[in-house]
Amino acid sequence: MTRPTAARPHDEGAASAPVRLPMAYVLPLRAHDDSGLDELTGYLRELSRWVDVVVVDGSPPELFARHAAAWHGLVRHVPPDPALRGRNGKVLGVLTGVALARHEHVVIADDDVRYDRAALCAVHQMLDGVDLVRPQNHFDPLPWHAWWDTGRTLLARVFGGDWPGTLAVRRSTFLAMGGYDPDVLFENLELVRTVRAYGGSTATPAWLYVRRLPPTAAHFLGQRVRQAYDETARPVWLLAALAVLPATAVALATRRPGLLLRAGLATVAVAELGRRRAGGTRVFPAHTSLAAPAWVLERGLCAWLAVGRRLRGGVPYAGARLRTAANPTRLLRRRMTRRRPDDLVLWVETGAVPPPLRAEV
């Protein structure tokens, strides 16, 4: 697929008024404090000049009220639809927001994702040809833990593409396929698999870079096992991660540290290929390739801890416990054959179908 040309940011005779794109931007949110509120408000103010923004806010009442006051007149600020059921609050927010969207092209993004207008224009044009777009995130700024996680990003760019905090979908496809499962942990993989199971097309443009703010170091450290648990939905990746520690132990036990050195250098080389792919050197500093071996060792350890979590019934998540990272595509295809067309179906453990989403604003 050729790269779309980003739309011009302004009309010929209206330099002060950017042309609004016929797009919706859905931001599912659940805040635990109001740190970063001013920065997020500034981003939403700029974003609202370009696209229709829907913030689906599952924050506690006092924070919801502060958000409502800060964003009045900027965005549509709504709670998750109470008719929806499911244990993954982010998915419930997406289901609510996409149902309320007024446009066919919908961007779904976490609260730490920062689109610019050029990226929105590129996504908008790509959705004319595919049902789902998976852009490429990059951290900016780059503290030590974001540097560490960028090692993962660079390796993923070589093997099929990274999993960002944002996707973009056609609303008609999303509703026709019945949304996606709100009881899974790896919700982005679940959405992509559901689109493909429905027969939709997807694109992973490695050149479409979207900035992401890094988490706090404490949040990063708290997510290590949970993110490793995602790979239970991708058995080949899980087995590769589980092999890291035994292979390291064998090399040390047989006094062959040179094997570890060569493995580390090979990992850096692969990461560098990912960094250079599709102009990645513009957003990924050269030293980020050096983070790849450290991340591989970390994932090797956390993969075993994730298996332990799996044996104990899943990962704690927002007061619940999620066992399924993402459903296999074959299961999603079977579910497609059992649903009624044009219903926004929620696949919950009971198999019950809740009332459809309300369309009121």
Side-chain angles (χ1 to χ4, degrees), residues 23 105 107 115 118-127 133 135 168 208:
M23 295 181 72
H105 294 177
V107 171
Y115 275 87
L120 289 171
C121 290
V123 167
H124 177 48
Q125 293 185 35
M126 292 190 74
L127 284 174
V133 176
L208 182 49

Side-chain angles (χ1 to χ4, degrees), residues 23-176:
M23 295 181 72
Y25 186 105
V26 172
L27 193 165
L29 176 68
R30 182 176 177 81
H32 300 287
D33 55 53
D34 57 4
S35 62
L37 177 58
D38 290 342
E39 191 278 336
L40 178 58
T41 300
Y43 173 63
L44 293 176
R45 181 175 293 109
E46 184 73 3
L47 195 63
S48 65
R49 300 172 63 223
W50 306 330
V51 293
D52 181 33
V53 182
V54 182
V55 179
V56 184
D57 192 351
S59 303
E62 63 279 6
L63 288 176
F64 185 95
R66 291 179 203 167
H67 296 162
W71 302 334
H72 179 70
L74 292 180
V75 303
R76 280 186 290 169
H77 178 233
V78 298
D81 193 305
L84 301 178
R85 297 193 297 274
R87 288 172 290 180
N88 189 319
K90 177 181 174 181
V91 177
L92 298 182
V94 172
L95 291 168
T96 301
V98 174
L100 292 174
R102 297 189 178 109
H103 299 286
E104 168 70 353
H105 294 177
V106 181
V107 171
I108 301 165
D110 293 345
D111 63 337
D112 56 0
V113 171
R114 296 293 179 267
Y115 275 87
D116 59 20
R117 182 178 169 83
L120 289 171
C121 290
V123 167
H124 177 48
Q125 293 185 35
M126 292 190 74
L127 284 174
D128 284 334
V130 297
D131 296 283
L132 181 144
V133 176
R134 175 159 51 120
Q136 172 66 67
N137 277 151
H138 66 96
F139 286 118
D140 182 17
L142 196 70
W144 73 266
H145 53 285
W147 171 85
W148 184 289
D149 203 41
T150 299
R152 171 196 58 80
T153 296
L154 300 182
L155 293 174
R157 283 170 59 80
V158 177
F159 300 106
D162 188 30
W163 289 97
T166 178
L167 298 172
V169 296
R170 290 181 181 174
R171 182 175 183 270
S172 59
T173 301
F174 187 94
L175 297 180

Side-chain angles (χ1 to χ4, degrees), residues 269-281:
V270 173
E272 182 63 16
L273 289 176
R275 191 180 78 88
R276 292 171 181 262
R277 183 185 177 198
T281 54

